[in-house]
Amino acid sequence: MKSLYSRIVVTFVLIALFSGVVALFGVNLYYQQSLKSYNEQKIANIAKEIRSLYGQSGPIDLHAYFSGIASMGFQLYAVDEGMKGTFYGAPFKRSDIDPSVVRRVQSGETYIPTSKFVTGLFENTIRHSVGIPFQTYGQTYALFVRPNMELQFGEVRTLAGLLLAGTFLLSLLFIFVFSRYIVKPVEKLTEATTAIVQGQYDMELDVLRRDEIGNLARHFSSMAKTLQKLDDMRQEFVSSVSHEIQSPLTSIQGFAQAVRNEPLTSEERDRYLEIIEEESRRLSSLGKQLLTLASLDKEADIIKKSAYRLDEQLRQVVLQTEWQRHEKEVLVELDAPEMMITADRQLLNQVCLICLRTASNFPIPARRSASR
């Protein structure tokens, strides 16, 4: 019983059985408090009416009279003073009874059965019959009377049994069917989870339901879209970082080759070496920033602001990208007035480099001029 479906089915079946047991005890309680006395008194009145009618009918053969009463839907058991008993009508399933009870009835007491459960109403035994004294021709009998349930209510009992059995079987069928209806969305969510683990974020879930399963499906779909965006951002980030690392490496390689192979003046050599040094610092800074990216998720304060001149930073960025622009024949003329700002110099430097590199990647016939 490991699957959710089997657990739900077993739970529903146990609930049905437990409800039946509780209902049976409830019916028994109602019977004991409200119906038992009424039913026993009703049978006692019927027995007394049988005795009264016999006395009013004149001399009638006792056996014939009891046989006629039994044919109307009753079971009778008459015990004479010699403790000899005679059955009339359908036989009792159990005919044992305490002789002391018979003696008390013959002495004038009325015997009322003491069943503590509602099933005693249908128990076909002498002990669950009403006993009254019955006198005729100087002979005293102990007459035990009970309705013949099979004869009076046989069809009703059959219909009730069929109704209960049909209800139980249909309940089982509905439990099996509707449990599958409940479990199916959960199975789809499980399949969707497996798909996400495999990197597949496109899925179809029933988000139109207005219950807890529908809410779960909507939240799950939203989570899948968020994970897809994060995956796209991760891939874009990897691509961007690759470009960020490639850019200073290209500059360092280009200016190093120029210093090594081309005839340069002392001023040009110093400027190229300065650019190489600056690009090396930027490459080192990129490595440090990659190591501290996790701090962004923890909302750590890694932005270090300072006041500096933006126009000088822009001129430095133009110089750093000179080698790439030279290869693509892109000309950039900077016209930036003196401007002081407060920002993170390293992060803003990356932004400027990305913007300039993006602008320089547009296809051009010969040269391009860009100004601020």
Side-chain angles (χ1 to χ4, degrees):
M1 196 176 64
K2 294 183 179 180
S3 66
L4 179 61
Y5 175 73
S6 60
R7 291 183 180 182
I8 290 178
V9 169
V10 172
T11 300
F12 282 171
V13 171
L14 292 177
I15 289 175
L17 294 176
F18 178 76
S19 300
V21 172
V22 173
L24 180 60
F25 278 98
V27 169
N28 179 70
L29 181 63
Y30 175 75
Y31 171 75
Q32 293 291 336
Q33 293 181 352
S34 302
L35 296 181
K36 185 176 183 294
S37 298
Y38 169 77
N39 183 67
E40 292 170 349
Q41 188 61 44
K42 180 177 67 173
I43 298 175
N45 291 336
I46 291 174
K48 292 176 181 179
E49 187 68 22
I50 293 172
R51 182 177 60 188
S52 176
L53 288 175
Y54 179 78
Q56 297 174 7
S57 303
I60 303 176
D61 181 68
L62 185 62
H63 295 286
Y65 179 73
F66 284 162
S67 297
I69 296 297
S71 64
M72 291 188 293
F74 293 93
Q75 293 173 273
L76 283 72
Y77 180 63
V79 184
D80 60 17
E81 294 177 352
M83 299 302 290
K84 180 182 178 181
T86 305
F87 293 97
Y88 298 92
F92 291 88
K93 289 185 178 180
R94 292 183 59 184
S95 58
D96 56 306
I97 189 168
D98 192 348
S100 62
V101 174
V102 177
R103 292 300 185 189
R104 289 200 305 270
V105 173
Q106 290 176 344
S107 63
E109 292 185 13
T110 299
Y111 171 74
I112 301 296
T114 57
S115 174
K116 295 182 179 180
F117 210 73
V118 67
T119 54
L121 180 64
F122 304 97
E123 189 172 344
N124 186 12
T125 63
I126 296 178
R127 289 186 301 138
H128 288 85
S129 304
V130 173
I132 62 170
F134 193 98
Q135 296 179 351
T136 178
Y137 300 109
Q139 179 80 5
T140 302
Y141 292 84
L143 180 63
F144 294 89
V145 181
R146 65 171 281 109
N148 188 339
M149 294 297 182
E150 186 65 30
L151 184 61
Q152 294 187 9
F153 307 105
E155 295 82 1
V156 176
R157 291 174 61 184
T158 302
L159 290 176
L162 290 175
L163 177 62
L164 291 176
T167 301
F168 182 72
L169 293 177
L170 286 176
S171 299
L172 290 180
L173 177 61
F174 289 145
I175 286 172
F176 279 102
V177 173
F178 288 104
S179 295
R180 175 61 61 184
Y181 174 76
I182 294 174
V183 173
K184 188 175 181 181
V186 180
E187 292 178 345
K188 287 187 176 181
L189 288 173
T190 303
E191 294 175 358
T193 304
T194 304
I196 288 180
V197 172
Q198 296 174 353
Q200 302 174 5
Y201 301 100
D202 294 332
M203 60 194 67
E204 294 184 1
L205 298 175
D206 187 5
V207 298
L208 299 179
R209 296 179 53 151
R210 299 300 177 185
D211 54 7
E212 289 78 2
I213 297 294
N215 290 333
L216 180 60
R218 285 188 288 272
H219 292 320
F220 196 92
S221 298
S222 177
M223 181 193 70
K225 292 179 181 179
T226 302
L227 290 176
Q228 186 174 13
K229 290 181 180 179
L230 290 175
D231 188 65
D232 294 340
M233 292 173 61
R234 179 184 60 81
Q235 295 180 4
E236 183 180 357
F237 172 76
V238 172
S239 177
S240 177
V241 168
S242 299
H243 285 295
E244 285 294 322
I245 295 176
Q246 187 64 30
S247 177
L249 288 176
T250 302
S251 297
I252 292 173
Q253 182 180 7
F255 285 111
Q257 290 178 354
V259 171
R260 181 178 179 182
N261 299 326
E262 296 183 9
L264 301 173
T265 63
S266 176
E267 182 179 349
E268 290 177 335
R269 183 183 299 274
D270 290 341
R271 184 163 63 89
Y272 286 179
L273 291 175
E274 182 181 354
I275 293 174
I276 291 174
E277 183 180 2
E278 183 64 27
E279 289 293 88
S280 298
R281 291 197 195 96
R282 187 162 72 90
L283 190 61
S284 176
S285 177
L286 281 174
K288 293 179 180 179
Q289 291 178 15
L290 289 175
L291 293 176
T292 57
L293 275 178
S295 300
L296 288 175
D297 295 334
K298 300 178 181 178
E299 299 183 356
D301 186 14
I302 64 170
I303 299 179
K304 300 178 181 180
K305 296 182 179 181
S306 61
Y308 65 93
R309 288 181 55 179
L310 178 62
D311 56 304
E312 290 184 354
Q313 185 181 38
L314 294 176
R315 290 190 182 92
Q316 185 64 29
V317 170
V318 172
L319 290 176
Q320 290 174 354
T321 58
E322 179 180 349
W323 185 261
Q324 294 96 320
R325 290 185 290 102
H326 176 72
E327 290 181 343
K328 297 183 179 181
E329 297 183 350
V330 175
L331 176 63
V332 176
E333 295 180 357
L334 182 64
D335 182 14
E338 182 176 336
M339 179 182 298
M340 292 293 297
I341 64 170
T342 300
D344 189 305
R345 189 183 188 97
Q346 293 294 334
L347 296 179
L348 189 57
N349 189 75
Q350 292 184 29
V351 174
C352 295
L353 286 171
I354 292 174
C355 294
L356 186 58
R357 186 175 66 247
T358 302
S360 301
N361 285 332
F362 285 105
I364 53 175
R367 292 178 177 270
R368 164 177 293 181
S369 175
S371 62
R372 179 188 181 281

